[in-house]
Amino acid sequence: MKNRRNFIKKASAAFAALGLLSLAKNSRAGEVKISGALIHHVYFWLKQPQNESHKEQLIKGLNELIKVKHIKLSHIGFPAGTENRDVVDHSYSVSYMAMFDNQADQAAYQTDPIHLKFVEDCQHLWEKVIVYDSMDGQQKPK
């Protein structure tokens, strides 16, 4: 938990310094709320989840994808070794998170040539993709 808090503090401070996001201190010590951003979570289920070369190819594609200029923060991850509970889904192969300043930047990302090339080059690797986009309550979706 301490590492997560340190990451959030550092990322928040970096964005605040750049004037990219507004921040608000939570009443709990050390907690920072990021507001004004759109978070784009993507979960990939590979057709061949045990095929390491397919996983590496997807990761390589994602590392190219994060070069899109509208992305302010990104993360590529894998199922964590957390406990099995009814509400925890460890079934995906790779996760990807990108943060945007606003919904317009996320929309521009969708048509960016780097994003389109990623889909073209990597879509044969996955059997399922789920996307969760979220915004804080301060912004109304368009």
Side-chain angles (χ1 to χ4, degrees):
M1 185 65 118
K2 187 173 181 176
N3 286 339
R4 183 179 149 264
R5 285 185 181 150
N6 286 336
F7 169 78
I8 290 171
K9 278 184 189 179
K10 288 177 183 176
S12 299
F15 283 124
L18 294 172
L20 299 173
L21 299 173
S22 61
L23 305 174
K25 282 262 185 187
N26 193 324
S27 60
R28 293 184 290 184
E31 292 291 320
V32 177
K33 178 184 176 193
I34 298 173
S35 61
L38 186 143
I39 309 295
H40 180 68
H41 285 137
V42 185
Y43 296 87
F44 299 92
W45 283 260
L46 293 173
K47 288 180 183 176
Q48 298 177 15
Q50 304 307 318
N51 187 326
E52 287 301 315
S53 69
H54 285 190
K55 188 181 287 186
E56 288 172 14
Q57 187 177 350
L58 178 59
I59 294 164
K60 181 179 177 186
L62 289 169
N63 279 308
E64 287 299 311
L65 182 59
I66 63 176
K67 295 177 182 176
V68 173
K69 69 179 179 177
H70 299 289
I71 296 173
K72 301 304 176 192
L73 180 69
S74 64
H75 177 266
I76 299 168
F78 310 95
T82 53
E83 70 275 5
N84 288 322
R85 298 183 295 138
D86 291 342
V87 296
V88 178
D89 183 355
H90 294 111
S91 67
Y92 63 93
S93 304
V94 178
S95 69
Y96 163 70
M97 184 277 301
M99 181 185 294
F100 302 92
D101 281 341
N102 51 52
Q103 194 166 345
D105 283 355
Q106 192 273 345
Y109 158 85
Q110 291 298 326
T111 59
D112 188 285
I114 296 171
H115 181 259
L116 298 176
K117 181 167 177 27
F118 165 76
V119 173
E120 181 182 329
D121 291 349
C122 295
Q123 66 184 345
H124 70 281
L125 299 170
W126 59 73
E127 67 177 354
K128 177 181 170 182
V129 175
I130 293 184
V131 176
Y132 296 100
D133 289 332
S134 63
M135 301 170 60
D136 66 23
Q138 302 301 312
Q139 293 188 39
K140 300 213 185 310
K142 293 180 182 178

